[in-house]
Amino acid sequence: MIEITDKEKCVGCGACVQRCPKECIALREDAEGFLYPEADASVCVECGLCEKVCPVLHPGESRQPLMAYAAVNGDEAVRRSSSSGGVFTALALETIARGGVVFGARFDERWEVVHGWTETADGLGAFRGSKYVQSRMGESYREAEAFLKSGREVLFSGTPCQVAGLRRYLRKDYGGLRTVDFICHGVPSPGVWRDYLKEEVARQCDGKNTVSPAPNCGRDALLEGVSFRNKACGWKKFSFSLSLSLPVGQGTKNSVFLCELLTENAYLRGFLSDLYLRPSCHACPAKCLRSGSDLTVGDYWGVCAVHPELDDDGGVSVVLVNTARGQEMIGGLNGVRLTPTRYADVVRFNPAVERSARVPAGRARFWALRRELGVIGAVGALVKDPPLWRRAAGRAKRIVKRILKRI
Ligand SMILES: Cc1cc2nc3c(=O)[nH]c(=O)nc-3n(C[C@H](O)[C@H](O)[C@H](O)COP(=O)(O)OP(=O)(O)OC[C@H]3O[C@@H](n4cnc5c(N)ncnc54)[C@H](O)[C@@H]3O)c2cc1C
Ligand code: SF4
Ligand code: SF4
Ligand code: SF4
């Protein structure tokens, strides 16, 4: 029976929960806002299946990719709304064109991040773009298995540990399964995201960024859009953006658009300083391509040095081809410009492929301060501010944007 004694040793994939034949394991949120399995010993029949499917107890072999490419989707609208070069959408469209099903992470109606599936091109919009929050797997492994058993092709995308969890869960190599993960820095806490959103919306409602203060500020009713990777100021200097619709007076709406650079936004700064990553992300069992995925995608951060001719600051993906099936997937892609590149160059600029983030000095203090100051206050107290000139430039940009929006 699965029992979590060391939080670094559970990635929260939920493979054990979905595989248990007695349905006696449930995921519960801890004080940091992450989910962990808890088994009910009185129902457990000691079959051992939960341990067999756990990707932490059974990590894969470390690998080197067969090939590495820089990739740019030729569809500019798709690339703009994707986090890097838009290669995920191209892969997903190929699957849908063959009658397959695509799994990915999207927001639910409460702006929490969950895994789900779609079989339509329109449905892909919700998966597009990185959400810097750990997604809840729900029943996704069971659903993927049911599609595979019925003969449908499945493209499953997720973090490396989620892909590793799926492969352990299935315990069989289905011909119709294609998997794509990404170079993974780590996943922030869903609990911190929930609190941050509440604080940020309340801040906006206080009139800091609105034409006039709004009286009625229920979070769920007001949020219209969230992007962790808004490219308005470029791909490399990405921004966090949020659009809100505030009721003013007799049902009239006052739209608010918050757009803050990664160096200014409290949530992104806390994430990039590793203050609230899942503990397992500091001892990741899926580094070095151990997930078993067919393809690994990511941001090609070094592209301006390695292939300057490709870099227009609109976003370039890196694609690591890990298996023969991955090579087929890449071979069948339409409308994507692929340029062979060296794996060593990818790792040089994106060490997260092979190395886990270190536990920062301020992590423990963050949880204590969060209770006192909230998420925004705690990040402000622990993460050093960017230089004054950068803040001034950011503020000027925001003001211009607000004026343009009003016009
Ligand atoms: C938490 C997180 C950390 C990342 N860390 C790095 C990094 O250190 N270095 C790097 O190069 N790239 C990192 N990436 C990947 C990168 O941001 C892009 O997602 C990737 O380059 C693919 O971009 P794209 O343009 O092809 O497609 P996009 O449309 O941007 O990619 C979306 C894909 O990501 C999946 N996805 C989005 N959010 C989540 C989530 N919370 N959990 C699981 N799957 C999700 C979607 O299902 C979809 O398949 C990270 C992504 C996430 C979500
Ligand atoms: S040992 Fe079997 S019955 Fe018990 S919790 Fe694990 S999977 Fe469920
Ligand atoms: S890593 Fe996944 S399978 Fe293992 S205990 Fe945690 S949730 Fe269960
Ligand atoms: S860093 Fe590792 S453990 Fe953390 S989400 Fe990514 S793949 Fe999973």
Side-chain angles (χ1 to χ4, degrees):
M1 187 180 80
I2 213 93
E3 213 183 329
I4 309 300
T5 48
D6 175 357
K7 291 202 167 163
E8 276 198 351
K9 300 227 162 73
C10 172
V11 296
C13 64
C16 53
V17 178
Q18 295 183 64
R19 188 42 88 202
C20 174
K22 303 303 284 180
E23 308 220 323
C24 68
I25 314 178
L27 288 171
R28 299 208 199 290
E29 197 170 295
D30 74 349
E32 292 187 351
F34 294 107
L35 294 173
Y36 291 90
E38 266 176 38
D40 180 348
S42 67
V43 185
C44 169
V45 291
E46 295 294 345
C47 67
L49 275 176
C50 50
E51 289 172 5
K52 267 198 194 121
V53 298
C54 176
V56 178
L57 294 175
H58 306 279
E61 297 283 315
S62 78
R63 300 179 295 174
Q64 291 276 313
L66 307 176
M67 273 302 291
Y69 296 96
V72 176
N73 193 323
D75 182 329
E76 274 306 309
V78 166
R79 186 162 70 120
R80 212 173 311 121
S81 55
S82 302
S83 299
S84 50
V87 76
F88 160 73
T89 300
L91 289 164
L93 283 173
E94 293 295 329
T95 303
I96 286 169
R98 285 192 295 269
V101 184
V102 178
F103 282 75
R106 60 171 173 78
F107 291 110
D108 69 6
E109 60 294 344
R110 298 176 54 78
W111 296 96
E112 301 197 346
V113 182
V114 294
H115 247 71
W117 57 269
T118 184
E119 47 194 348
T120 68
D122 284 349
L124 290 179
F127 295 159
R128 209 171 292 135
S130 296
K131 289 100 188 159
Y132 291 136
V133 185
Q134 181 165 35
S135 73
R136 279 200 316 268
M137 259 304 134
E139 295 281 299
S140 292
Y141 294 162
R142 284 183 181 161
E143 290 162 347
E145 184 180 41
F147 282 122
L148 289 166
K149 281 186 170 161
S150 72
R152 299 280 293 274
E153 184 178 318
V154 167
L155 175 70
F156 191 95
S157 71
T159 63
C161 59
Q162 288 170 337
V163 168
L166 172 72
R167 290 171 52 82
R168 291 296 313 172
Y169 171 89
L170 292 172
R171 292 185 304 150
K172 171 175 163 189
D173 187 20
Y174 287 87
L177 177 66
R178 276 127 185 79
T179 51
V180 54
D181 59 10
F182 46 79
I183 298 171
C184 185
H185 179 80
V187 283
S189 152
V192 169
W193 166 242
R194 203 182 299 135
D195 286 358
Y196 165 73
L197 210 47
K198 241 185 256 167
E199 289 174 31
E200 190 60 86
V201 170
R203 215 159 64 110
Q204 301 306 320
C205 288
D206 280 347
K208 291 214 167 58
N209 205 14
T210 64
V211 179
S212 59
N216 169 17
C217 263
R219 181 194 62 156
D220 302 333
L222 300 173
L223 261 171
E224 289 186 333
V226 171
S227 170
F228 294 87
R229 294 289 299 264
N230 186 309
K231 290 180 177 172
C233 298
W235 163 54
K236 293 186 210 92
K237 264 197 197 164
F238 60 88
S239 308
F240 174 85
S241 72
L242 191 100
S243 46
L244 287 169
S245 182
L246 308 183
V248 190
Q250 295 282 308
T252 48
K253 296 271 172 93
N254 177 12
S255 289
V256 179
F257 187 66
L258 168 84
C259 190
E260 287 183 334
L261 281 177
L262 73 161
T263 45
E264 295 166 347
N265 176 260
Y267 185 81
L268 285 182
R269 291 173 74 202
F271 164 49
L272 295 171
S273 305
D274 305 335
L275 288 182
Y276 31 80
L277 297 183
R278 189 175 175 98
S280 59
C281 301
H282 298 295
C284 174
K287 291 287 173 211
C288 302
L289 312 177
R290 285 171 198 266
S291 67
S293 64
D294 297 308
L295 296 175
T296 300
V297 297
D299 291 282
Y300 199 160
W301 291 130
V303 74
C304 51
V306 185
H307 304 286
E309 72 287 359
L310 295 180
D311 183 24
D312 59 359
D313 207 21
V316 180
S317 295
V318 63
V319 181
L320 303 176
V321 180
N322 305 323
T323 63
R325 200 172 288 172
Q327 192 70 68
E328 256 172 52
M329 289 159 73
I330 276 295
L333 272 191
N334 280 319
V336 176
R337 180 176 171 195
L338 292 170
T339 308
T341 193
R342 280 166 15 109
Y343 179 54
D345 286 329
V346 175
V347 180
R348 184 152 57 103
F349 292 97
N350 216 332
V353 189
E354 299 191 340
R355 276 210 314 265
S356 297
R358 271 193 302 217
V359 183
R363 193 182 189 281
R365 277 210 40 155
F366 171 78
W367 301 105
L369 282 177
R370 172 204 181 197
R371 273 195 296 275
E372 219 180 289
L373 307 174
V375 175
I376 298 176
V379 171
L382 292 170
V383 183
K384 235 173 104 230
D385 272 336
L388 201 61
W389 65 266
R390 203 178 272 167
R391 275 184 280 155
R395 211 169 297 133
K397 246 182 226 160
R398 276 202 309 279
I399 291 169
V400 170
K401 224 181 253 157
R402 228 176 292 150
I403 292 168
L404 286 176
K405 195 155 172 67
R406 273 189 217 158
I407 293 169

Coordinates of all heavy atoms in Angstrom, one line a residue, residues 11 159-161 184-187 280-281 284-287, ligand 4:
V11 N 5.3 12.7 -6.9 CA 5.1 13.8 -7.9 C 3.7 14.2 -8.1 O 3.3 15.1 -8.8 CB 5.7 13.4 -9.3 CG1 7.2 13.2 -9.2 CG2 5.1 12.2 -9.9
T159 N 3.7 17.1 -18.1 CA 5.0 17.2 -17.5 C 5.7 15.8 -17.7 O 5.0 14.8 -17.8 CB 5.0 17.5 -16.0 OG1 4.3 16.4 -15.3 CG2 4.2 18.8 -15.7
P160 N 7.0 15.8 -17.6 CA 7.7 14.5 -17.7 C 7.2 13.5 -16.7 O 7.0 12.3 -17.0 CB 9.2 14.8 -17.5 CG 9.3 16.2 -18.0 CD 8.0 16.9 -17.6
C161 N 6.9 13.9 -15.5 CA 6.5 12.9 -14.4 C 5.1 12.5 -14.7 O 4.7 11.3 -14.4 CB 6.6 13.5 -13.0 SG 5.7 15.0 -12.7
C184 N 11.2 20.7 -18.0 CA 10.3 21.1 -16.9 C 11.2 21.7 -15.8 O 11.9 21.0 -15.1 CB 9.5 20.0 -16.5 SG 8.3 20.4 -15.2
H185 N 10.9 23.0 -15.6 CA 11.6 23.7 -14.5 C 11.0 23.2 -13.1 O 11.7 23.3 -12.1 CB 11.3 25.2 -14.6 CG 11.9 26.1 -13.6 ND1 13.2 26.4 -13.6 CD2 11.4 26.6 -12.5 CE1 13.5 27.1 -12.5 NE2 12.4 27.3 -11.8
G186 N 9.7 22.9 -13.1 CA 9.0 22.5 -11.9 C 7.6 23.1 -11.9 O 7.4 24.0 -12.7
V187 N 6.8 22.5 -11.0 CA 5.4 23.1 -11.0 C 5.1 23.8 -9.7 O 5.3 23.2 -8.6 CB 4.3 21.9 -11.3 CG1 4.3 21.6 -12.7 CG2 4.6 20.7 -10.4
S280 N 9.0 17.5 -4.9 CA 9.6 16.5 -5.8 C 10.4 17.2 -6.9 O 11.2 16.5 -7.5 CB 8.5 15.6 -6.4 OG 7.5 16.3 -7.1
C281 N 10.0 18.4 -7.2 CA 10.7 19.1 -8.3 C 12.2 19.4 -8.0 O 13.0 19.7 -8.9 CB 10.0 20.4 -8.7 SG 8.3 20.1 -9.3
C284 N 13.9 15.7 -8.9 CA 13.0 15.2 -10.0 C 13.4 13.8 -10.5 O 14.5 13.6 -10.9 CB 13.0 16.2 -11.1 SG 12.0 15.6 -12.5
P285 N 12.5 12.9 -10.5 CA 12.8 11.5 -10.9 C 12.7 11.4 -12.5 O 13.0 10.3 -13.0 CB 11.7 10.7 -10.3 CG 10.5 11.6 -10.2 CD 11.1 13.0 -10.0
A286 N 12.4 12.5 -13.2 CA 12.2 12.4 -14.6 C 13.2 13.2 -15.4 O 13.0 13.4 -16.6 CB 10.7 12.8 -15.0
K287 N 14.2 13.7 -14.8 CA 15.2 14.5 -15.5 C 16.0 13.5 -16.5 O 15.9 12.3 -16.4 CB 16.2 15.1 -14.5 CG 15.7 16.2 -13.7 CD 15.4 17.5 -14.5 CE 14.7 18.5 -13.7 NZ 13.8 19.4 -14.5
Ligands
SF4_4 S1 10.3 19.0 -12.3 FE1 10.1 16.8 -12.3 S2 8.8 16.3 -10.6 FE2 8.5 18.5 -11.0 S3 6.7 18.6 -12.3 FE3 8.6 18.6 -13.6 S4 8.8 16.5 -14.2 FE4 7.4 16.5 -12.4

